[in-house]
Amino acid sequence: MKTRAFIWMVPTGLIIIALVAGTWFFYAPVATDRFLPGIHIARIPVGGLTLEEGRTLIEERAESSARQDLGVLWHNERLLLHPSRQYPYLRYQTETVIQEAYRLGRSQNLWQNILMQFHVRITEKNLPIPVALDTTQLERDLRQALGSRLRLATDARFLIHVAEDERVFSIDISDEQVGQDIRLDTLQERLLTQAKEMHVRDPLPLDIVTTLPKRTARDLMPLVPDAEAWMRYAPLTLSMEDKTWTIPTRTVGSWITATHTVQGWAIDLDPHLVAENLKKTLNDVLRAAVDGSLVVKDGRMETFTAPVEGIELDVPATITLLKVHTSKTSSTAIQLIHATPRILGDGETLGIREVLGVGRSEFSGSPTNRRKN
């Protein structure tokens, strides 16, 4: 009987030893606060490292990756982009993936933990790093590096030549130009995909596309008579109350352009040039709105600045009147906007904590359009 009992004790003991060894084998990393063997973050092995060791390693690699120059390939020419320390192109979200990797094999489910630990020992598990891309800074630096290599599409436009005495003019049309541009979306996709593994290939190829102009010389040719009609009304006279200003023929010629409407191409005035010229001309009339301010300290008013109403040029309305009136007269009234300032701001900004006063208005004798404070 003793022999039979001994025979059973031997395998039972071996099973117990195997279970203890297996438990130690699987749970040793968990018990010692280390990443499971076989865990990689962005292809960087962190298995066997403590949480702090893994964090230091990944953060150093991520910072180095974000700082490195970015090579791009324009045709057969390699160009280098230099990200600044303050505005890197790539921002790695390291803590999120570090915590995710560390939690592997540490769930509340025992069997899931055993399976996970067995899995990562046989086949490595890699976790990519979430990364954000500053597309604005990347595009700015890329276009600056490309410089004149990039040839943007150019629209056809009127070339209006005015004689010195501004009595004679001629109209030519510049030809449109086809351009070349880069596909930023494919570059960004490649960069983000490779950055998640912290291994960016150098150089990254740039996809080049042909860009077409929106307005061609053929579009402008039928509009030459309309442009000539505009020029015959120049110089223009703009008025406001008792003041008048003369817009020279040469300036009017620089305003003339064409825009596409539902009926096709039509003569128009360039709003940016109109605004630029008229704001200089009306410099003594226009003014910016000034907000009022009130400083209250310890319940007492320290300083008070009254608000000042602004006067701004209403460019779209002025252009509309120019289009309407130039067919009848060379004189047009300038359209202005009265810009209302913020009177004082809100109470919290001013430091007001209690009611300082109450005002009431009686509107019984006022028309509807004046019943407001």
Side-chain angles (χ1 to χ4, degrees):
M1 294 295 294
K2 290 184 179 180
T3 304
R4 182 178 296 179
F6 178 77
I7 292 174
W8 281 104
M9 288 174 61
V10 171
T12 301
L14 291 175
I15 292 173
I16 293 173
I17 292 172
L19 288 173
V20 171
T23 302
W24 178 88
F25 178 78
F26 284 118
Y27 279 93
V30 177
T32 55
D33 191 33
R34 295 178 182 273
F35 289 91
L36 295 181
I39 297 293
H40 291 66
I41 297 177
R43 302 298 175 189
I44 301 171
V46 293
L49 301 179
T50 66
L51 178 61
E52 195 55 40
E53 290 171 343
R55 178 181 288 115
T56 300
L57 174 63
I58 296 302
E59 287 181 349
E60 287 178 352
R61 294 285 186 90
E63 183 178 0
S64 175
S65 177
R67 283 187 194 175
Q68 73 179 25
D69 293 340
L70 176 64
V72 294
L73 191 64
W74 168 265
H75 294 289
N76 294 321
E77 182 182 4
R78 179 175 176 268
L79 303 173
L80 273 183
L81 306 183
H82 308 286
S84 67
R85 180 183 293 269
Q86 186 177 3
Y87 301 108
Y89 307 138
L90 301 170
R91 293 187 181 276
Y92 288 96
Q93 301 167 15
T94 55
E95 190 59 27
T96 302
V97 70
I98 289 171
Q99 292 295 336
E100 181 184 353
Y102 184 71
R103 285 194 298 268
L104 291 174
R106 287 181 167 85
S107 71
Q108 299 297 320
N109 189 304
L110 173 64
W111 294 109
Q112 284 184 359
N113 292 343
I114 292 176
L115 289 174
M116 174 58 68
Q117 294 173 48
F118 185 73
H119 172 73
V120 297
R121 288 175 184 273
I122 297 177
T123 59
E124 298 176 352
K125 184 171 182 61
N126 180 64
L127 283 76
I129 296 185
V131 56
L133 177 62
D134 188 340
T135 56
T136 302
Q137 188 66 37
L138 174 63
E139 180 179 2
R140 184 183 298 118
D141 290 354
L142 179 58
R143 292 192 181 281
Q144 184 176 354
L146 288 170
S148 59
R149 298 175 184 82
L150 274 183
R151 187 178 70 251
L152 301 181
T154 305
D155 291 339
R157 62 188 182 91
F158 291 114
L159 299 176
I160 300 180
H161 311 282
V162 180
E164 289 294 328
D165 59 4
E166 297 203 344
R167 294 181 180 179
V168 180
F169 65 88
S170 62
I171 298 180
D172 294 326
I173 297 175
S174 68
D175 290 328
E176 69 277 7
Q177 298 291 331
V178 174
Q180 278 189 330
D181 205 350
I182 50 176
R183 284 196 58 181
L184 290 168
D185 57 338
T186 56
L187 173 63
Q188 293 166 8
E189 183 180 352
R190 291 188 186 112
L191 180 55
L192 277 175
T193 300
Q194 297 180 27
K196 290 177 182 178
E197 305 292 344
M198 283 201 286
H199 179 72
V200 179
R201 190 180 65 184
D202 185 1
L204 288 173
L206 295 175
D207 292 335
I208 303 170
V209 294
T210 299
T211 57
L212 301 176
K214 298 178 181 178
R215 188 175 60 222
T216 67
R218 181 177 294 181
D219 298 325
L220 296 184
M221 283 298 296
L223 303 180
V224 171
D226 294 336
E228 292 174 342
W230 260 94
M231 291 299 295
R232 292 191 189 99
Y233 286 105
L236 301 178
T237 301
L238 301 182
S239 62
M240 186 191 71
E241 297 176 351
D242 58 342
K243 297 182 179 181
T244 60
W245 296 269
T246 299
I247 307 302
T249 303
R250 194 182 307 276
T251 301
V252 175
S254 69
W255 292 353
I256 296 177
T257 183
T259 55
H260 195 268
T261 67
V262 290
Q263 289 82 24
W265 289 93
I267 288 292
D268 203 352
L269 300 181
D270 188 318
H272 300 291
L273 292 178
V274 171
E276 180 182 338
N277 292 144
L278 292 189
K279 284 179 180 179
K280 292 179 181 178
T281 303
L282 306 174
N283 185 52
D284 59 334
V285 174
L286 304 178
R287 65 170 181 263
V290 179
D291 293 339
S293 66
L294 172 66
V295 178
V296 178
K297 186 175 182 181
D298 299 329
R300 290 179 171 273
M301 181 180 70
E302 281 199 343
T303 60
F304 171 75
T305 303
V308 178
E309 186 179 56
I311 300 177
E312 300 175 355
L313 176 66
D314 189 337
V315 177
T318 300
I319 289 178
T320 299
L321 285 178
L322 283 170
K323 291 179 182 178
V324 172
H325 290 173
T326 46
S327 60
K328 305 173 183 177
T329 175
S330 295
S331 180
T332 301
I334 295 172
Q335 298 300 297
L336 301 176
I337 299 175
H338 292 273
T340 304
R342 292 189 309 113
I343 304 302
L344 291 174
D346 55 57
E348 184 178 351
T349 303
L350 300 171
I352 298 175
R353 297 292 181 268
E354 59 185 17
V355 177
L356 301 180
V358 178
R360 292 184 174 86
S361 300
E362 176 61 47
F363 293 111
S364 59
S366 301
T368 305
N369 64 338
R370 294 182 61 83
R371 295 188 180 190
K372 57 185 178 179
N373 259 350

